[in-house]
Amino acid sequence: KKGGSKNIDGENPPSEGRQLLPEFKTQLSKLKFAGEVLVKEWVLSEDNVSRKQHDVIIPSKILNRQGFLTEEQKQEVDMEVPLLVAFLGKFTVNLRKKRHKASYGLTDWIRIMDKYKLTQGTQLQLWAFKHEESSQLGFALIILTQEKVPAANF
């Protein structure tokens, strides 16, 4: 394994001690999304930015432990979910249950990487949240460190 890729999936809740950017939390509230939990924080490694990496992997125990998936959602193998890129844009991606069922993959990683010119060494956070009314699962990608990021309409 090359670089500094890491999943946050220890015994303590992954969001302990971490807060979502206040400005972005306000934006999520306006969209009626709440209950955000940090599911992954990592620095992009050489492997993460290779054209072979198609999904962002999320350990299923994080989503299950935090109660983000309803029983019906747990049975789905592939579901569309929104992915908000903080202050930059929105994608519709799929959350796919991996064959071994110990993890999920968020699709379209290459498209997101290309759009925001993500490179090796960029530090990211991935947060999960739910819609207050529909219980729809959603994700937010926060780019913590990077030289230049193209602006987009949100």
Side-chain angles (χ1 to χ4, degrees), residues 2-153:
K2 299 175 187 171
S5 177
K6 65 178 183 176
N7 288 322
I8 296 180
D9 60 355
E11 294 302 312
N12 296 323
S15 61
E16 192 171 299
R18 303 248 188 0
Q19 298 289 321
L20 186 59
L21 299 169
E23 307 85 23
F24 192 61
K25 188 170 185 166
T26 300
Q27 200 169 18
L28 286 177
S29 294
K30 289 178 184 174
L31 297 170
K32 296 193 182 276
F33 286 111
E36 64 282 338
V37 171
L38 180 64
V39 294
K40 184 172 180 150
E41 180 174 37
W42 74 111
V43 175
L44 291 179
S45 68
E46 183 180 330
D47 288 342
N48 297 142
V49 297
S50 78
R51 305 313 274 178
K52 297 175 190 171
Q53 181 89 27
H54 295 280
D55 296 346
V56 174
I57 304 302
I58 303 169
S60 59
K61 68 181 179 180
I62 291 174
L63 295 179
N64 293 336
R65 177 181 27 194
Q66 300 300 332
F68 273 98
L69 298 177
T70 64
E71 288 305 317
E72 184 178 303
Q73 289 170 330
K74 286 179 187 177
Q75 302 310 312
E76 289 187 49
V77 176
D78 193 347
M79 70 179 109
E80 281 190 354
V81 295
L83 174 69
L84 306 176
V85 181
F87 310 111
L88 297 172
K90 179 180 176 182
F91 287 87
T92 298
V93 297
N94 286 48
L95 181 67
R96 290 193 177 133
K97 192 179 288 185
K98 295 296 189 177
R99 288 188 186 151
H100 50 77
K101 298 183 182 179
S103 63
Y104 291 90
L106 274 183
T107 63
D108 291 329
W109 176 243
I110 292 174
R111 182 171 59 124
I112 293 162
M113 207 171 45
D114 288 348
K115 170 91 176 171
Y116 298 108
K117 299 181 180 359
L118 301 178
T119 58
Q120 185 175 341
T122 302
Q123 185 179 1
L124 302 170
Q125 288 180 339
L126 183 68
W127 294 77
F129 50 82
K130 288 193 98 160
H131 193 272
E132 293 173 355
E133 295 167 0
S134 69
S135 294
Q136 179 187 17
L137 179 65
F139 292 92
L141 182 67
I142 309 293
I143 302 169
L144 296 174
T145 58
Q146 186 176 27
E147 297 285 320
K148 293 181 179 177
V149 179
N153 293 330

